[in-house]
Amino acid sequence: MGDKEQFVRFDWAMKRLLRDKANYVVLEGLITTLLGKKITIKKLLESESNQDSDDDKQNRVDLLAEDESGALYLIEVQNETEFAYFQRMLFGASKLVTEYINRGQGYENIRKVYSINIVYFNLGQGKDIVYHGKTEFRGMHDGDILQLSPFQKQKFDADVVSDLYPEYYILKANDFNRWSRMPLEQWIYVLSTGDIPDDADAPGLSEAREKLRLARMTKAELDSYYRHLDNVVILRDNIETAKNEGWLEGKAKGRAEGRAEGEFEKAKSIARSLKQMGMSDSDISKATGLSIEEIAAL
């Protein structure tokens, strides 16, 4: 029996391979499976939160797509814990709402936004692997849900009020290794393990088997991919080491009144490592508890 087929991680594929129009079908398959309706990506877009470079070593990946109806899809991968991630989801979706409407346009021109978040850490508390969030207005007395008028339904081409607001999907891809015949669970399995079984039949996965094969990568692509894997491992190791040493927990309790010199030095040491990896000062501050000024002074 030959060696088992290997595939690149989805987060790296989003940064490189899936930005090619010929590979849109993979992303379309993921979004179609999530939404339960067929979507076709018209093009990829750039926003201020959707920047990328060959030297990017941060633990975040953004990809912004537009479908044929004009709806926007912000797809983000997060490899490491971020305690304010819920708020960042809100910020990202809200920013798109304002970025993609021209001054002077009426509010009826606001785009539909889908925020799709693939997280490799335990976000919040919950037993499921996929969560869907949307906006509804529920009566405080009778509990009824506020509906669109017939005119609004026709004008906005929408069925319910929540169709007009951003929707959020959280895919918890850490440690899910149970293969399933359910399309959505197949996708979570692939995101979690990087393996695409021969009998994968969820939308986009048969194409992913071909387009994400490690064997079809060029040498330059392989070099970039292995650097990415090294960076992910180093980042996780640095933050995990900090957690194990207990200083992260300790600084939350005692920093306002002053902290031990030893804890401060550990924080600075880890901050230097993260800075060398190209991590932004704001993300380093969140990970270490150091202020922006303290990080800038390193």
Side-chain angles (χ1 to χ4, degrees), residues 203-238:
L205 287 186
S206 61
E207 292 82 1
R209 280 192 57 81
E210 172 60 26
K211 299 179 183 299
L212 304 188
R213 286 189 297 117
L214 206 64
R216 74 193 301 266
M217 300 295 101
T218 66
K219 184 180 184 304
E221 288 172 334
L222 283 173
D223 289 343
S224 175
Y225 176 59
Y226 289 131
R227 284 197 303 272
H228 171 75
L229 292 184
D230 289 343
N231 289 328
V232 169
V233 170
I234 291 170
L235 179 60
R236 288 183 177 178
D237 182 65
N238 275 324

Side-chain angles (χ1 to χ4, degrees), residues 47-50 60 62-64 72-76 82 84-100 111-117 166-168:
S47 76
E48 293 180 16
S49 61
N50 185 35
R60 188 178 77 190
D62 290 339
L63 190 147
L64 180 60
L72 301 172
Y73 301 85
L74 175 60
I75 307 172
E76 183 169 336
E82 182 171 337
Y85 192 82
F86 287 115
Q87 292 94 322
R88 197 174 85 192
M89 288 167 48
L90 171 63
F91 179 81
S94 301
K95 201 165 189 300
L96 289 183
V97 169
T98 58
E99 279 185 359
Y100 287 93
R111 304 273 200 102
K112 176 69 175 184
V113 173
Y114 295 92
S115 172
I116 300 171
N117 301 271
E167 294 186 39
Y168 302 88

Side-chain angles (χ1 to χ4, degrees), residues 191-204:
L191 294 172
S192 180
T193 67
D195 180 35
I196 309 177
D198 293 338
D199 59 344
D201 55 7

Side-chain angles (χ1 to χ4, degrees), residues 89-225:
M89 288 167 48
L90 171 63
F91 179 81
S94 301
K95 201 165 189 300
L96 289 183
V97 169
T98 58
E99 279 185 359
Y100 287 93
I101 185 170
N102 296 323
R103 179 173 295 180
Q105 282 188 316
Y107 295 128
E108 68 272 15
N109 294 295
I110 287 177
R111 304 273 200 102
K112 176 69 175 184
V113 173
Y114 295 92
S115 172
I116 300 171
N117 301 271
I118 302 168
V119 298
Y120 289 88
F121 65 96
N122 292 320
L123 176 61
Q125 290 185 319
K127 297 179 180 179
D128 211 323
I129 56 173
V130 180
Y131 289 87
H132 177 210
K134 60 183 180 180
T135 299
E136 291 181 337
F137 296 91
R138 190 176 296 274
M140 294 180 64
H141 293 90
D142 298 329
D144 67 312
I145 296 176
L146 187 63
Q147 301 293 334
L148 295 173
S149 69
F151 172 76
Q152 288 173 319
K153 289 182 179 181
Q154 181 180 17
K155 177 69 174 177
F156 304 137
D157 190 25
D159 295 321
V160 292
V161 174
S162 61
D163 289 340
L164 307 179
Y165 285 81
E167 294 186 39
Y168 302 88
Y169 289 87
I170 298 173
L171 286 65
K172 303 182 76 169
N174 54 319
D175 301 326
F176 184 80
N177 57 8
R178 183 181 73 249
W179 185 239
S180 169
R181 299 310 310 160
M182 295 179 61
L184 190 51
E185 289 194 356
Q186 288 188 14
W187 262 106
I188 302 299
Y189 175 88
V190 171
L191 294 172
S192 180
T193 67
D195 180 35
I196 309 177
D198 293 338
D199 59 344
D201 55 7
L205 287 186
S206 61
E207 292 82 1
R209 280 192 57 81
E210 172 60 26
K211 299 179 183 299
L212 304 188
R213 286 189 297 117
L214 206 64
R216 74 193 301 266
M217 300 295 101
T218 66
K219 184 180 184 304
E221 288 172 334
L222 283 173
D223 289 343
S224 175
Y225 176 59

